[in-house]
Amino acid sequence: MIIDWRVFHVDETVSTNLDAVKGENGDVFSAGFQTAGRGRLDHKWFSPPGVNVLMSVVVGVGAIPPEEVATLPIVAGLAVADCVEYLASALPGEMKVKWPNDVLFSSRKVAGILCERRGDNVIVGIGVNVKEQEFPPDIRSASCYIGGRVEVDTVRDALLEVLKRYFNEWLESGFAVFLPRVAQRDFLKGSFVSVSQTDGDSSPVEGVCGGINDDGSLDVAGVKVYAGQAHIKIQRS
Ligand code: BTN
């Protein structure tokens, strides 16, 4: 159980995911700026100072079977989507989870999640675009931010509340209870997708996406994909 978060905030660090390596269950490492923020698949995660949520939370998973641990990133994505939708409720648009763990608002990325296993812990690194308006050219058209009057600290604190609730539910009851809500937010389900696999078999898997499975994998025309990068080739109508 996560009884309560212990938040350690600094103005600047290299990467909160690196800071979290020394953390324990329930610790939160938050920063205003990262000099070498890390994204999935060895990408960089750049964020200007003070405008976005940059934090990593430590979740103890020593008692959870490895196949269940694989579903934690999806639960984290759902928590971010539910929380951001609530905070940005004045804005029109749909909040979706894109497997494995991007959060999209009106089809543009508003948050990214990088989960890393360290011994008995999973470090859940979360970046949420809150006030960043000028994105680098290569991701500009695919990115968005919450905007409005919402403050970065407000988003971080609200998100920590939702994460605590969802992670405790996941630790007690498992992923199955989240599946219906995940299905409602599933960005890829029903579209024709191409997924480049990142765990061994490098050939892309293509077909109509059946959605996220109960083990956290993605169903692509009946094939289970456990790790990869997906894009939509033909949007569901
Ligand atoms: C992705 O979409 O590629 C995942 C991005 C994760 C970024 C966050 S920001 C806080 C934490 N610290 C890092 O270095 N990365 C994660």
Side-chain angles (χ1 to χ4, degrees):
M1 279 287 278
I2 299 159
I3 305 301
D4 220 341
W5 297 117
R6 287 173 299 274
V7 182
F8 304 97
H9 180 83
V10 292
D11 288 341
E12 181 177 319
T13 189
V14 175
S15 156
T16 57
N17 265 38
L18 288 183
D19 296 338
V21 169
K22 60 177 185 287
E24 296 172 2
N25 180 41
D27 288 349
V28 178
F29 296 84
S30 156
F33 181 65
Q34 299 180 122
T35 53
R38 297 159 58 188
R40 288 182 60 243
L41 309 173
D42 289 331
H43 293 158
K44 290 187 174 37
W45 184 264
F46 179 76
S47 166
V51 295
N52 295 324
V53 172
L54 305 167
M55 69 172 175
S56 301
V57 308
V58 183
V59 184
V61 295
I64 310 294
E67 60 278 12
E68 189 72 23
V69 174
T71 65
L72 183 61
I74 315 274
V75 176
L78 181 69
V80 175
D82 286 355
C83 182
V84 174
E85 181 176 79
Y86 174 75
L87 292 171
S89 55
L91 300 176
E94 278 191 314
M95 196 67 64
K96 295 281 179 189
V97 174
K98 177 172 178 258
W99 181 93
N101 43 20
D102 286 346
V103 180
L104 309 183
F105 183 60
S106 291
S107 304
R108 290 170 154 209
K109 185 160 168 171
V110 69
I113 298 168
L114 173 66
C115 291
E116 297 180 290
R117 179 97 195 219
R118 288 284 179 274
D120 278 350
N121 295 328
V122 172
I123 295 166
V124 183
I126 302 172
V128 186
N129 303 331
V130 181
K131 291 183 178 290
E132 179 174 1
Q133 298 187 21
E134 282 300 318
F135 292 95
D138 54 326
I139 58 166
R140 191 168 294 155
S141 64
S143 304
C144 73
Y145 62 102
I146 298 176
R149 290 166 188 265
V150 186
E151 296 304 324
V152 176
D153 287 354
T154 309
V155 177
R156 189 194 68 183
D157 294 346
L159 188 50
L160 285 173
E161 280 308 308
V162 180
L163 286 168
K164 187 167 67 178
R165 206 151 32 90
Y166 285 22
F167 285 169
N168 281 333
E169 196 178 352
W170 175 82
L171 286 163
E172 275 172 25
S173 312
F175 183 57
V177 293
F178 292 96
L179 255 185
R181 281 138 71 190
V182 168
Q184 279 178 355
R185 292 220 183 267
D186 195 331
F187 179 68
L188 300 173
K189 189 172 182 173
S191 292
F192 190 97
V193 299
S194 176
V195 187
S196 44
Q197 300 184 80
T198 50
D199 62 345
D201 190 345
S202 57
S203 54
V205 184
E206 294 195 341
V208 175
C209 178
I212 295 170
N213 293 311
D214 60 3
D215 60 0
S217 64
L218 189 70
D219 179 304
V220 182
V223 175
K224 283 185 168 191
V225 182
Y226 286 92
Q229 187 68 8
H231 73 267
I232 291 180
K233 288 186 107 175
I234 306 170
Q235 184 92 42
R236 92 177 148 222
S237 48

